[in-house]
Amino acid sequence: MHVDIIDQYQFLESRIHALDPRVKVLISVGFILSNALLPDGSWPAFALSWLVLLLANDLANLGLGFTLKRSLIALPFALVAISAIFSPIGEPLAIWDLGFIKLVPTDAGLIRFFSIMVRSWLSVQMAILLVATTQFPDLIHALEHLHLPITLTTIIAFLFRYLFVLTDEVFRILRARDARSAGLPGLKSGGKLAWRIKTTGSMAGQLFTRSYERSDRIYLAMISRGYTGRIRTLHPHQMDRSDWLTLAWSAALLTLIQIVGWIR
Amino acid sequence: MLYSPVYMHIPDGFLTLAVSLVFWGITIVMVALAVKNTNRSLGEKQIPLMGVMAAFIFAAQMLNFPIAGGTSGHFLGGALAAIVLGPWAGILVMTAVISVQALLFQDGGLLVMGANIFNMGILTAVIGFGLYRLAIGQKRVLRLAMAGIGAWLATMTAALMASLQLWLSGTTPLEIVIPAMLGVHAFIGIGEALITVAALVYIEQTRPDLMSEEKTAQEGGHGWVIGGVLVTLAAVILSPLASAHPDGLERVAENLGFLGRGMDAPFQILPDYTIPFLGETALSTILAGALGALLLLGLTILLGRSLIRKGNQA
Protein backbone atom coordinates (compact mmCIF):
# COMPACT_ATOMS: atom_id res chain seq x y z
CA MET A 1 0.00 0.00 0.00
CA HIS A 2 1.26 3.44 -0.73
CA VAL A 3 1.57 6.18 1.82
CA ASP A 4 -0.88 8.41 -0.09
CA ILE A 5 -3.88 6.31 0.93
CA ILE A 6 -3.56 7.25 4.58
CA ASP A 7 -1.47 10.39 4.49
CA GLN A 8 -3.57 13.51 4.21
CA TYR A 9 -0.78 15.82 3.10
CA GLN A 10 -1.72 17.82 0.01
CA PHE A 11 1.15 18.37 -2.40
CA LEU A 12 0.62 22.02 -3.20
CA GLU A 13 2.63 25.18 -3.07
CA SER A 14 1.38 27.99 -0.93
CA ARG A 15 2.40 30.45 1.71
CA ILE A 16 0.99 28.16 4.38
CA HIS A 17 2.83 25.11 3.08
CA ALA A 18 6.07 27.09 3.13
CA LEU A 19 5.72 28.18 6.75
CA ASP A 20 7.99 26.67 9.36
CA PRO A 21 6.20 23.63 10.83
CA ARG A 22 6.77 24.96 14.36
CA VAL A 23 4.75 28.06 13.49
CA LYS A 24 1.94 25.92 12.14
CA VAL A 25 1.87 23.71 15.21
CA LEU A 26 1.83 26.72 17.53
CA ILE A 27 -0.92 28.49 15.59
CA SER A 28 -3.06 25.35 15.41
CA VAL A 29 -2.75 24.68 19.12
CA GLY A 30 -3.39 28.38 19.81
CA PHE A 31 -6.53 28.29 17.69
CA ILE A 32 -7.88 25.18 19.44
CA LEU A 33 -7.00 26.73 22.80
CA SER A 34 -8.86 29.89 21.82
CA ASN A 35 -11.96 27.82 20.98
CA ALA A 36 -11.82 26.15 24.36
CA LEU A 37 -11.48 29.52 26.09
CA LEU A 38 -14.49 31.14 24.40
CA PRO A 39 -17.60 31.15 26.59
CA ASP A 40 -20.73 29.22 25.60
CA GLY A 41 -22.89 31.06 23.12
CA SER A 42 -20.31 33.56 21.88
CA TRP A 43 -21.52 33.19 18.30
CA PRO A 44 -19.78 36.31 16.84
CA ALA A 45 -16.41 35.04 18.06
CA PHE A 46 -17.12 31.56 16.70
CA ALA A 47 -18.07 33.10 13.36
CA LEU A 48 -14.87 35.13 13.35
CA SER A 49 -12.84 31.99 14.07
CA TRP A 50 -14.51 30.28 11.16
CA LEU A 51 -13.64 33.23 8.88
CA VAL A 52 -10.00 32.91 9.95
CA LEU A 53 -10.18 29.23 9.10
CA LEU A 54 -11.66 29.96 5.67
CA LEU A 55 -8.92 32.48 5.03
CA ALA A 56 -6.29 29.91 5.98
CA ASN A 57 -7.93 27.36 3.65
CA ASP A 58 -7.74 29.88 0.86
CA LEU A 59 -4.15 30.90 1.59
CA ALA A 60 -3.17 27.24 1.50
CA ASN A 61 -4.68 26.93 -2.03
CA LEU A 62 -6.91 24.12 -0.81
CA GLY A 63 -10.18 25.72 -1.80
CA LEU A 64 -12.58 27.24 0.70
CA GLY A 65 -14.50 24.08 1.53
CA PHE A 66 -11.56 21.71 1.94
CA THR A 67 -11.52 21.29 5.69
CA LEU A 68 -15.31 21.48 5.85
CA LYS A 69 -15.61 18.35 3.74
CA ARG A 70 -13.32 16.36 5.98
CA SER A 71 -14.61 17.71 9.27
CA LEU A 72 -17.43 15.22 9.71
CA ILE A 73 -15.19 12.71 11.47
CA ALA A 74 -16.01 14.05 14.94
CA LEU A 75 -19.74 13.90 14.25
CA PRO A 76 -20.46 10.50 15.87
CA PHE A 77 -19.22 11.92 19.14
CA ALA A 78 -22.04 14.46 19.02
CA LEU A 79 -24.19 11.68 20.50
CA VAL A 80 -22.36 12.18 23.77
CA ALA A 81 -22.96 15.91 23.77
CA ILE A 82 -26.69 15.60 23.05
CA SER A 83 -27.22 14.90 26.71
CA ALA A 84 -25.92 18.42 27.41
CA ILE A 85 -29.29 19.67 26.13
CA PHE A 86 -30.85 18.17 29.24
CA SER A 87 -28.35 19.71 31.67
CA PRO A 88 -30.18 21.11 34.65
CA ILE A 89 -29.07 24.66 33.91
CA GLY A 90 -31.23 27.50 32.67
CA GLU A 91 -34.97 27.50 31.97
CA PRO A 92 -36.77 24.31 30.96
CA LEU A 93 -38.20 24.42 27.43
CA ALA A 94 -40.35 21.32 27.59
CA ILE A 95 -40.83 18.11 29.54
CA TRP A 96 -40.71 14.81 27.67
CA ASP A 97 -41.88 11.93 29.78
CA LEU A 98 -40.66 8.69 28.25
CA GLY A 99 -41.91 6.54 31.09
CA PHE A 100 -38.59 5.28 32.38
CA ILE A 101 -36.88 8.65 32.17
CA LYS A 102 -38.05 12.24 32.17
CA LEU A 103 -36.17 14.49 29.75
CA VAL A 104 -36.16 18.21 30.31
CA PRO A 105 -34.42 20.22 27.59
CA THR A 106 -33.28 23.64 28.83
CA ASP A 107 -32.34 26.80 26.98
CA ALA A 108 -28.87 27.01 28.52
CA GLY A 109 -28.40 23.30 27.84
CA LEU A 110 -29.24 23.89 24.19
CA ILE A 111 -26.73 26.75 24.01
CA ARG A 112 -24.09 24.57 25.61
CA PHE A 113 -24.75 21.73 23.18
CA PHE A 114 -24.36 23.94 20.11
CA SER A 115 -21.30 25.65 21.60
CA ILE A 116 -19.62 22.29 22.18
CA MET A 117 -20.43 21.20 18.64
CA VAL A 118 -19.10 24.41 17.11
CA ARG A 119 -15.91 24.31 19.18
CA SER A 120 -15.29 20.72 18.25
CA TRP A 121 -16.06 21.35 14.59
CA LEU A 122 -13.72 24.37 14.36
CA SER A 123 -10.91 22.57 16.20
CA VAL A 124 -11.10 19.49 14.02
CA GLN A 125 -10.88 21.66 10.91
CA MET A 126 -7.73 23.32 12.19
CA ALA A 127 -6.14 19.93 12.84
CA ILE A 128 -7.09 18.84 9.33
CA LEU A 129 -5.52 21.98 7.91
CA LEU A 130 -2.33 21.34 9.86
CA VAL A 131 -1.75 17.85 8.45
CA ALA A 132 -2.91 18.85 4.98
CA THR A 133 -0.19 21.50 4.76
CA THR A 134 2.64 19.89 6.75
CA GLN A 135 4.43 16.69 5.85
CA PHE A 136 4.36 14.28 8.75
CA PRO A 137 8.17 13.98 9.17
CA ASP A 138 8.35 17.79 9.29
CA LEU A 139 5.59 17.79 11.88
CA ILE A 140 7.54 15.36 14.05
CA HIS A 141 10.66 17.46 13.59
CA ALA A 142 8.71 20.50 14.74
CA LEU A 143 7.59 18.65 17.85
CA GLU A 144 11.22 17.82 18.54
CA HIS A 145 12.13 21.50 18.24
CA LEU A 146 9.33 22.25 20.67
CA HIS A 147 11.15 20.05 23.22
CA LEU A 148 9.15 16.87 23.18
CA PRO A 149 11.36 14.01 24.41
CA ILE A 150 13.39 12.59 21.53
CA THR A 151 12.54 9.04 22.59
CA LEU A 152 8.87 9.79 22.03
CA THR A 153 9.26 11.67 18.74
CA THR A 154 11.49 8.91 17.39
CA ILE A 155 8.92 6.29 18.33
CA ILE A 156 6.26 8.35 16.53
CA ALA A 157 8.54 8.66 13.49
CA PHE A 158 9.02 4.89 13.41
CA LEU A 159 5.31 4.37 13.87
CA PHE A 160 4.59 6.53 10.84
CA ARG A 161 7.31 4.87 8.77
CA TYR A 162 6.22 1.31 9.45
CA LEU A 163 2.50 1.87 9.66
CA PHE A 164 2.18 1.27 5.93
CA VAL A 165 4.42 -1.79 5.95
CA LEU A 166 2.43 -3.37 8.75
CA THR A 167 -0.86 -2.39 7.15
CA ASP A 168 0.27 -4.38 4.13
CA GLU A 169 1.03 -7.23 6.51
CA VAL A 170 -2.53 -7.00 7.88
CA PHE A 171 -3.93 -7.20 4.37
CA ARG A 172 -1.82 -10.28 3.64
CA ILE A 173 -3.06 -11.92 6.85
CA LEU A 174 -6.69 -11.00 6.09
CA ARG A 175 -6.33 -12.37 2.55
CA ALA A 176 -4.95 -15.61 3.93
CA ARG A 177 -7.92 -15.92 6.28
CA ASP A 178 -10.38 -15.24 3.48
CA ALA A 179 -8.68 -17.79 1.26
CA ARG A 180 -8.96 -20.42 3.97
CA SER A 181 -12.56 -19.78 4.94
CA ALA A 182 -14.24 -19.65 1.57
CA GLY A 183 -17.92 -20.54 1.56
CA LEU A 184 -20.57 -21.49 -0.96
CA PRO A 185 -22.83 -18.66 -2.10
CA GLY A 186 -25.83 -18.34 0.15
CA LEU A 187 -24.27 -20.37 2.92
CA LYS A 188 -22.61 -18.92 5.97
CA SER A 189 -18.86 -19.13 5.82
CA GLY A 190 -16.48 -19.26 8.73
CA GLY A 191 -16.99 -21.02 12.01
CA LYS A 192 -18.68 -20.25 15.28
CA LEU A 193 -17.96 -17.15 17.33
CA ALA A 194 -15.35 -18.99 19.41
CA TRP A 195 -13.55 -20.02 16.24
CA ARG A 196 -13.64 -16.47 14.93
CA ILE A 197 -12.19 -15.11 18.15
CA LYS A 198 -9.42 -17.70 18.14
CA THR A 199 -8.64 -16.86 14.53
CA THR A 200 -8.59 -13.12 15.18
CA GLY A 201 -6.39 -13.65 18.23
CA SER A 202 -3.99 -15.79 16.25
CA MET A 203 -3.93 -13.12 13.56
CA ALA A 204 -3.07 -10.49 16.16
CA GLY A 205 -0.39 -12.77 17.62
CA GLN A 206 0.95 -13.57 14.17
CA LEU A 207 1.10 -9.87 13.36
CA PHE A 208 2.86 -9.27 16.66
CA THR A 209 5.61 -11.83 16.12
CA ARG A 210 6.13 -10.71 12.53
CA SER A 211 6.41 -7.07 13.66
CA TYR A 212 8.71 -7.98 16.52
CA GLU A 213 11.07 -9.91 14.31
CA ARG A 214 10.94 -7.20 11.67
CA SER A 215 11.96 -4.59 14.24
CA ASP A 216 15.04 -6.69 15.05
CA ARG A 217 16.06 -6.74 11.40
CA ILE A 218 15.34 -3.02 11.05
CA TYR A 219 17.52 -2.21 14.02
CA LEU A 220 20.46 -4.27 12.75
CA ALA A 221 20.16 -2.74 9.30
CA MET A 222 20.08 0.74 10.79
CA ILE A 223 23.05 0.11 13.09
CA SER A 224 25.10 -1.05 10.15
CA ARG A 225 24.23 2.20 8.37
CA GLY A 226 25.33 4.40 11.24
CA TYR A 227 22.16 4.91 13.31
CA THR A 228 22.87 6.74 16.55
CA GLY A 229 19.41 6.78 18.09
CA ARG A 230 18.27 9.92 16.28
CA ILE A 231 16.44 10.42 13.02
CA ARG A 232 17.76 13.28 10.94
CA THR A 233 16.06 15.39 8.33
CA LEU A 234 17.30 17.38 5.36
CA HIS A 235 15.03 20.31 6.11
CA PRO A 236 16.91 22.91 8.13
CA HIS A 237 13.80 24.48 9.70
CA GLN A 238 14.86 28.01 10.39
CA MET A 239 12.43 30.71 11.34
CA ASP A 240 12.56 33.61 8.92
CA ARG A 241 10.82 36.96 8.80
CA SER A 242 7.58 35.71 7.29
CA ASP A 243 7.34 33.00 9.95
CA TRP A 244 7.62 35.53 12.78
CA LEU A 245 5.21 37.84 11.00
CA THR A 246 2.60 35.10 10.59
CA LEU A 247 2.99 34.15 14.22
CA ALA A 248 2.47 37.76 15.31
CA TRP A 249 -0.56 38.20 13.05
CA SER A 250 -2.16 35.00 14.30
CA ALA A 251 -1.59 35.96 17.91
CA ALA A 252 -3.25 39.31 17.25
CA LEU A 253 -6.21 37.64 15.51
CA LEU A 254 -6.69 35.14 18.31
CA THR A 255 -6.59 37.96 20.86
CA LEU A 256 -9.21 39.82 18.84
CA ILE A 257 -11.40 36.69 18.78
CA GLN A 258 -11.10 36.40 22.55
CA ILE A 259 -12.03 40.06 23.03
CA VAL A 260 -15.06 39.67 20.78
CA GLY A 261 -16.02 36.52 22.66
CA TRP A 262 -15.85 37.98 26.13
CA ILE A 263 -17.40 41.42 25.49
CA ARG A 264 -21.15 41.41 25.57
CA MET B 1 -12.61 0.77 5.80
CA LEU B 2 -8.94 1.36 6.47
CA TYR B 3 -9.50 3.22 9.62
CA SER B 4 -12.61 3.33 11.70
CA PRO B 5 -12.67 5.67 14.67
CA VAL B 6 -13.26 4.21 18.11
CA TYR B 7 -15.78 5.89 20.36
CA MET B 8 -13.49 6.53 23.24
CA HIS B 9 -11.33 9.19 21.56
CA ILE B 10 -12.65 12.50 22.91
CA PRO B 11 -12.54 15.27 20.27
CA ASP B 12 -11.53 18.86 20.98
CA GLY B 13 -14.29 21.05 22.35
CA PHE B 14 -15.83 18.40 24.58
CA LEU B 15 -13.67 19.05 27.62
CA THR B 16 -13.09 22.38 29.32
CA LEU B 17 -9.63 23.85 29.31
CA ALA B 18 -9.13 23.16 33.02
CA VAL B 19 -9.97 19.46 32.72
CA SER B 20 -7.79 19.17 29.61
CA LEU B 21 -4.84 20.81 31.31
CA VAL B 22 -5.11 18.75 34.50
CA PHE B 23 -4.99 15.53 32.51
CA TRP B 24 -2.16 16.87 30.34
CA GLY B 25 -0.28 17.48 33.59
CA ILE B 26 -0.74 13.91 34.84
CA THR B 27 0.02 12.48 31.41
CA ILE B 28 3.20 14.53 30.98
CA VAL B 29 4.50 13.32 34.35
CA MET B 30 3.76 9.69 33.51
CA VAL B 31 5.18 9.87 29.98
CA ALA B 32 8.33 11.59 31.28
CA LEU B 33 8.73 8.79 33.83
CA ALA B 34 8.18 6.23 31.08
CA VAL B 35 10.84 7.88 28.88
CA LYS B 36 13.27 7.93 31.79
CA ASN B 37 12.63 4.33 32.73
CA THR B 38 12.81 2.90 29.22
CA ASN B 39 15.96 4.89 28.46
CA ARG B 40 17.62 3.57 31.59
CA SER B 41 16.62 -0.04 31.33
CA LEU B 42 16.36 -0.70 27.63
CA GLY B 43 18.73 1.46 25.59
CA GLU B 44 18.56 2.66 21.99
CA LYS B 45 17.64 -0.73 20.60
CA GLN B 46 14.21 -0.40 22.14
CA ILE B 47 13.32 2.71 20.20
CA PRO B 48 12.87 1.03 16.82
CA LEU B 49 11.21 -1.87 18.63
CA MET B 50 8.69 0.39 20.33
CA GLY B 51 8.08 2.31 17.11
CA VAL B 52 7.32 -0.85 15.19
CA MET B 53 5.21 -2.14 18.08
CA ALA B 54 3.22 1.09 18.00
CA ALA B 55 2.65 0.52 14.30
CA PHE B 56 1.60 -3.03 15.23
CA ILE B 57 -1.05 -1.76 17.66
CA PHE B 58 -2.26 0.62 14.99
CA ALA B 59 -2.44 -2.12 12.37
CA ALA B 60 -3.97 -4.62 14.80
CA GLN B 61 -6.83 -2.19 15.41
CA MET B 62 -7.87 -2.95 11.84
CA LEU B 63 -8.50 -6.57 12.78
CA ASN B 64 -12.06 -6.62 13.98
CA PHE B 65 -14.32 -9.58 14.10
CA PRO B 66 -18.06 -9.53 13.57
CA ILE B 67 -20.08 -10.27 16.71
CA ALA B 68 -23.74 -9.84 15.88
CA GLY B 69 -26.16 -7.35 14.41
CA GLY B 70 -23.56 -5.39 12.50
CA THR B 71 -21.42 -4.61 15.53
CA SER B 72 -17.88 -5.83 15.62
CA GLY B 73 -15.29 -6.48 18.27
CA HIS B 74 -12.71 -3.76 18.36
CA PHE B 75 -9.20 -3.91 19.59
CA LEU B 76 -7.53 -1.09 21.50
CA GLY B 77 -4.41 -2.98 22.49
CA GLY B 78 -3.30 -1.07 25.58
CA ALA B 79 -3.35 -4.08 27.89
CA LEU B 80 -1.65 -6.38 25.38
CA ALA B 81 1.15 -3.87 24.76
CA ALA B 82 1.76 -3.44 28.49
CA ILE B 83 1.75 -7.19 29.16
CA VAL B 84 4.14 -8.11 26.36
CA LEU B 85 6.44 -5.08 26.32
CA GLY B 86 6.28 -4.06 29.97
CA PRO B 87 4.23 -1.21 31.46
CA TRP B 88 6.56 1.72 30.76
CA ALA B 89 7.16 0.70 27.16
CA GLY B 90 3.43 0.03 26.85
CA ILE B 91 2.66 3.59 27.95
CA LEU B 92 5.10 5.02 25.39
CA VAL B 93 3.72 2.84 22.61
CA MET B 94 0.13 3.83 23.36
CA THR B 95 1.12 7.50 23.64
CA ALA B 96 2.61 7.30 20.16
CA VAL B 97 -0.47 5.53 18.81
CA ILE B 98 -2.90 8.05 20.29
CA SER B 99 -0.78 11.01 19.12
CA VAL B 100 -0.72 9.75 15.56
CA GLN B 101 -4.44 9.00 15.63
CA ALA B 102 -5.07 12.58 16.68
CA LEU B 103 -2.51 14.20 14.37
CA LEU B 104 -3.02 12.15 11.26
CA PHE B 105 -6.65 11.09 11.44
CA GLN B 106 -8.14 13.74 13.73
CA ASP B 107 -9.45 10.87 15.83
CA GLY B 108 -9.32 12.53 19.22
CA GLY B 109 -8.43 16.17 19.73
CA LEU B 110 -5.08 17.87 20.32
CA LEU B 111 -5.94 19.88 23.41
CA VAL B 112 -7.69 16.91 24.98
CA MET B 113 -4.94 14.49 23.95
CA GLY B 114 -3.61 14.42 27.50
CA ALA B 115 -6.95 13.05 28.71
CA ASN B 116 -7.10 10.54 25.87
CA ILE B 117 -3.57 9.29 26.56
CA PHE B 118 -4.39 9.04 30.25
CA ASN B 119 -7.55 7.01 29.61
CA MET B 120 -6.39 4.71 26.87
CA GLY B 121 -2.64 4.55 27.40
CA ILE B 122 -1.87 4.98 31.07
CA LEU B 123 -4.92 3.49 32.79
CA THR B 124 -4.92 0.50 30.45
CA ALA B 125 -1.21 -0.13 31.11
CA VAL B 126 -1.61 0.19 34.89
CA ILE B 127 -4.62 -2.13 35.04
CA GLY B 128 -3.63 -4.53 32.26
CA PHE B 129 -0.09 -5.04 33.49
CA GLY B 130 -0.85 -4.76 37.21
CA LEU B 131 -3.48 -7.51 37.19
CA TYR B 132 -1.40 -9.76 34.93
CA ARG B 133 1.63 -9.26 37.17
CA LEU B 134 -0.51 -10.31 40.11
CA ALA B 135 -0.98 -13.74 38.56
CA ILE B 136 2.72 -14.36 37.88
CA GLY B 137 3.76 -17.69 39.32
CA GLN B 138 0.23 -19.05 39.10
CA LYS B 139 -1.12 -21.62 36.69
CA ARG B 140 -1.19 -20.72 33.01
CA VAL B 141 -4.98 -20.70 32.84
CA LEU B 142 -5.17 -18.31 35.75
CA ARG B 143 -2.60 -16.00 34.19
CA LEU B 144 -4.47 -15.89 30.91
CA ALA B 145 -7.76 -15.34 32.71
CA MET B 146 -6.21 -12.44 34.58
CA ALA B 147 -4.96 -10.98 31.30
CA GLY B 148 -8.49 -11.20 29.91
CA ILE B 149 -10.11 -9.70 33.00
CA GLY B 150 -7.45 -7.00 33.02
CA ALA B 151 -8.12 -6.14 29.39
CA TRP B 152 -11.87 -5.92 30.01
CA LEU B 153 -11.48 -3.86 33.16
CA ALA B 154 -8.96 -1.59 31.44
CA THR B 155 -11.48 -0.85 28.69
CA MET B 156 -14.25 -0.23 31.21
CA THR B 157 -12.09 2.00 33.38
CA ALA B 158 -10.99 4.02 30.38
CA ALA B 159 -14.67 4.49 29.45
CA LEU B 160 -15.53 5.42 33.04
CA MET B 161 -12.71 7.96 33.15
CA ALA B 162 -13.81 9.48 29.84
CA SER B 163 -17.35 9.77 31.26
CA LEU B 164 -16.08 11.47 34.39
CA GLN B 165 -14.03 13.92 32.34
CA LEU B 166 -17.05 14.75 30.21
CA TRP B 167 -19.12 15.22 33.35
CA LEU B 168 -16.53 17.44 35.04
CA SER B 169 -16.51 19.56 31.89
CA GLY B 170 -20.26 20.02 32.13
CA THR B 171 -20.70 18.39 28.73
CA THR B 172 -23.08 15.73 29.90
CA PRO B 173 -24.95 14.72 33.06
CA LEU B 174 -23.53 11.77 34.95
CA GLU B 175 -26.70 9.71 34.94
CA ILE B 176 -26.79 9.64 31.16
CA VAL B 177 -23.15 9.31 30.18
CA ILE B 178 -22.10 6.57 32.59
CA PRO B 179 -24.67 3.93 31.66
CA ALA B 180 -24.23 4.79 27.96
CA MET B 181 -20.45 4.64 27.90
CA LEU B 182 -20.13 1.63 30.18
CA GLY B 183 -22.91 -0.19 28.35
CA VAL B 184 -21.23 0.19 24.97
CA HIS B 185 -17.78 -0.62 26.29
CA ALA B 186 -18.89 -3.67 28.22
CA PHE B 187 -19.27 -5.31 24.81
CA ILE B 188 -16.22 -3.72 23.23
CA GLY B 189 -14.26 -4.81 26.30
CA ILE B 190 -15.28 -8.44 25.83
CA GLY B 191 -13.88 -8.35 22.31
CA GLU B 192 -10.74 -6.72 23.65
CA ALA B 193 -10.34 -9.36 26.35
CA LEU B 194 -10.86 -12.29 23.99
CA ILE B 195 -8.42 -10.99 21.38
CA THR B 196 -5.84 -10.16 24.05
CA VAL B 197 -6.01 -13.67 25.52
CA ALA B 198 -5.97 -15.38 22.12
CA ALA B 199 -2.99 -13.26 21.02
CA LEU B 200 -1.12 -14.07 24.24
CA VAL B 201 -1.74 -17.79 23.71
CA TYR B 202 -0.33 -17.51 20.21
CA ILE B 203 2.72 -15.51 21.30
CA GLU B 204 3.42 -17.95 24.15
CA GLN B 205 3.39 -20.81 21.70
CA THR B 206 5.54 -19.23 19.00
CA ARG B 207 7.90 -16.98 20.97
CA PRO B 208 7.94 -18.26 24.55
CA ASP B 209 11.12 -16.24 25.15
CA LEU B 210 9.12 -13.00 24.86
CA MET B 211 6.57 -14.06 27.41
CA SER B 212 8.60 -15.72 30.17
CA GLU B 213 7.44 -14.98 33.69
CA GLU B 214 10.90 -13.78 34.78
CA LYS B 215 10.88 -11.22 31.98
CA THR B 216 7.44 -9.94 32.97
CA ALA B 217 8.48 -9.79 36.61
CA GLN B 218 11.57 -7.78 35.67
CA GLU B 219 9.66 -5.26 33.63
CA GLY B 220 7.61 -3.95 36.49
CA GLY B 221 7.70 -4.47 40.23
CA HIS B 222 4.99 -4.98 42.77
CA GLY B 223 4.22 -1.29 42.64
CA TRP B 224 2.36 -1.99 39.41
CA VAL B 225 0.32 -4.71 41.08
CA ILE B 226 -0.66 -2.35 43.87
CA GLY B 227 -1.38 0.46 41.41
CA GLY B 228 -3.40 -1.85 39.18
CA VAL B 229 -5.43 -3.27 42.03
CA LEU B 230 -6.07 0.15 43.56
CA VAL B 231 -7.20 1.72 40.31
CA THR B 232 -9.37 -1.29 39.53
CA LEU B 233 -10.97 -1.20 42.97
CA ALA B 234 -11.65 2.51 42.63
CA ALA B 235 -13.28 1.95 39.25
CA VAL B 236 -15.27 -1.07 40.40
CA ILE B 237 -16.60 0.79 43.43
CA LEU B 238 -17.21 4.01 41.56
CA SER B 239 -19.04 2.80 38.48
CA PRO B 240 -22.05 1.03 40.01
CA LEU B 241 -22.31 3.85 42.50
CA ALA B 242 -22.20 6.44 39.77
CA SER B 243 -24.67 4.72 37.47
CA ALA B 244 -27.17 3.64 40.12
CA HIS B 245 -26.95 6.66 42.40
CA PRO B 246 -25.53 9.57 40.45
CA ASP B 247 -26.92 11.91 43.07
CA GLY B 248 -24.92 10.09 45.67
CA LEU B 249 -21.69 10.50 43.77
CA GLU B 250 -22.44 14.13 43.21
CA ARG B 251 -23.13 14.65 46.88
CA VAL B 252 -19.89 12.91 47.80
CA ALA B 253 -18.10 14.99 45.21
CA GLU B 254 -19.53 18.13 46.72
CA ASN B 255 -18.68 17.14 50.27
CA LEU B 256 -15.13 16.54 49.17
CA GLY B 257 -15.05 19.97 47.56
CA PHE B 258 -15.74 18.80 44.02
CA LEU B 259 -18.18 20.45 41.68
CA GLY B 260 -21.60 21.26 43.01
CA ARG B 261 -22.93 21.40 39.49
CA GLY B 262 -25.21 18.43 39.88
CA MET B 263 -26.65 19.74 43.12
CA ASP B 264 -28.11 22.90 41.67
CA ALA B 265 -31.85 22.90 41.80
CA PRO B 266 -32.89 21.68 38.34
CA PHE B 267 -34.59 24.83 37.15
CA GLN B 268 -32.53 27.47 38.80
CA ILE B 269 -31.18 30.16 36.52
CA LEU B 270 -27.42 30.19 36.59
CA PRO B 271 -26.23 33.54 35.32
CA ASP B 272 -22.62 32.45 35.33
CA TYR B 273 -23.04 29.31 33.30
CA THR B 274 -21.20 31.05 30.48
CA ILE B 275 -17.97 30.91 32.42
CA PRO B 276 -17.30 27.23 32.24
CA PHE B 277 -13.95 27.10 33.98
CA LEU B 278 -13.09 30.48 35.45
CA GLY B 279 -15.66 30.05 38.19
CA GLU B 280 -14.02 29.86 41.59
CA THR B 281 -15.68 26.63 42.62
CA ALA B 282 -14.89 24.80 39.40
CA LEU B 283 -11.25 25.78 39.47
CA SER B 284 -10.72 24.92 43.12
CA THR B 285 -12.56 21.66 42.58
CA ILE B 286 -10.43 20.63 39.67
CA LEU B 287 -7.26 21.59 41.46
CA ALA B 288 -8.36 19.50 44.41
CA GLY B 289 -9.09 16.59 42.11
CA ALA B 290 -5.75 16.94 40.39
CA LEU B 291 -3.93 17.14 43.68
CA GLY B 292 -5.64 13.99 44.85
CA ALA B 293 -4.85 12.15 41.64
CA LEU B 294 -1.21 13.27 41.73
CA LEU B 295 -0.92 12.27 45.37
CA LEU B 296 -2.29 8.82 44.60
CA LEU B 297 0.07 8.50 41.65
CA GLY B 298 3.07 9.64 43.67
CA LEU B 299 2.23 7.21 46.46
CA THR B 300 1.89 4.36 44.00
CA ILE B 301 5.21 5.15 42.38
CA LEU B 302 7.03 5.54 45.71
CA LEU B 303 5.58 2.27 46.92
CA GLY B 304 6.65 0.60 43.70
CA ARG B 305 10.17 2.01 44.00
CA SER B 306 10.63 0.79 47.56
CA LEU B 307 9.30 -2.62 46.64
CA ILE B 308 11.67 -2.88 43.68
CA ARG B 309 14.58 -1.94 45.91
CA LYS B 310 13.57 -4.56 48.46
CA GLY B 311 13.24 -7.10 45.71
CA ASN B 312 16.71 -6.30 44.40
CA GLN B 313 18.29 -6.70 47.82
CA ALA B 314 16.67 -10.00 48.45
Side-chain angles (χ1 to χ4, degrees), chain B:
Chain B
M1 176 205 91
L2 276 177
Y3 185 78
S4 52
V6 187
Y7 259 107
M8 219 187 292
H9 295 69
I10 303 172
D12 275 321
F14 282 72
L15 297 185
T16 54
L17 191 60
V19 174
S20 310
L21 290 183
V22 163
F23 282 95
W24 258 124
I26 302 173
T27 298
I28 287 171
V29 170
M30 286 302 282
V31 170
L33 280 175
V35 166
K36 217 176 122 204
N37 271 286
T38 43
N39 277 349
R40 198 176 46 204
S41 64
L42 303 167
E44 55 166 27
K45 180 177 189 249
Q46 290 308 113
I47 293 179
L49 170 67
M50 285 192 282
V52 176
M53 282 299 118
F56 155 74
I57 295 288
F58 218 120
Q61 292 184 343
M62 293 174 192
L63 301 172
N64 39 18
F65 61 97
I67 295 177
T71 56
S72 57
H74 247 297
F75 185 62
L76 301 172
L80 182 67
I83 290 171
V84 184
L85 300 173
W88 291 120
I91 287 178
L92 283 186
V93 162
M94 289 311 285
T95 303
V97 170
I98 294 160
S99 318
V100 172
Q101 281 169 339
L103 284 171
L104 201 57
F105 299 98
Q106 289 82 46
D107 191 16
L110 299 181
L111 197 60
V112 300
M113 204 201 281
N116 280 330
I117 293 174
F118 181 78
N119 300 346
M120 291 178 286
I122 295 172
L123 281 182
T124 50
V126 170
I127 295 176
F129 183 82
L131 295 190
Y132 183 75
R133 179 78 174 70
L134 187 64
I136 287 283
Q138 308 292 328
K139 281 193 190 118
R140 182 162 172 268
V141 182
L142 199 66
R143 256 188 305 128
L144 289 174
M146 267 318 239
I149 292 168
W152 186 77
L153 280 170
T155 313
M156 291 299 274
T157 309
L160 177 69
M161 202 60 203
S163 312
L164 291 178
Q165 287 156 354
L166 289 165
W167 167 60
L168 279 174
S169 299
T171 301
T172 161
L174 208 54
E175 60 265 43
I176 295 178
V177 70
I178 290 212
M181 284 289 268
L182 291 190
V184 168
H185 286 93
F187 288 103
I188 294 179
I190 291 173
E192 174 87 11
L194 293 173
I195 298 182
T196 302
V197 171
L200 284 176
V201 169
Y202 181 90
I203 297 168
E204 270 190 343
Q205 278 167 1
T206 47
R207 289 289 301 264
D209 55 314
L210 296 180
M211 286 291 303
S212 71
E213 296 189 36
E214 299 86 63
K215 185 167 165 283
T216 311
Q218 257 174 28
E219 272 157 356
H222 288 96
W224 288 96
V225 175
I226 295 165
V229 170
L230 279 182
V231 174
T232 310
L233 276 180
V236 166
I237 292 168
L238 205 62
S239 44
L241 197 81
S243 52
H245 307 285
D247 306 344
L249 183 66
E250 274 162 10
R251 206 159 299 141
V252 170
E254 203 191 24
N255 287 344
L256 291 174
F258 279 87
L259 278 179
R261 194 173 270 148
M263 284 296 289
D264 300 322
F267 307 132
Q268 192 192 344
I269 303 167
L270 268 180
D272 60 343
Y273 75 90
T274 47
I275 311 169
F277 73 94
L278 284 178
E280 234 177 295
T281 46
L283 201 64
S284 63
T285 298
I286 285 153
L287 282 179
L291 219 66
L294 278 178
L295 214 68
L296 193 76
L297 249 159
L299 273 176
T300 324
I301 289 161
L302 277 179
L303 245 154
R305 282 257 167 94
S306 69
L307 282 169
I308 289 169
R309 221 167 289 140
K310 246 185 238 161
N312 287 347
Q313 280 164 4

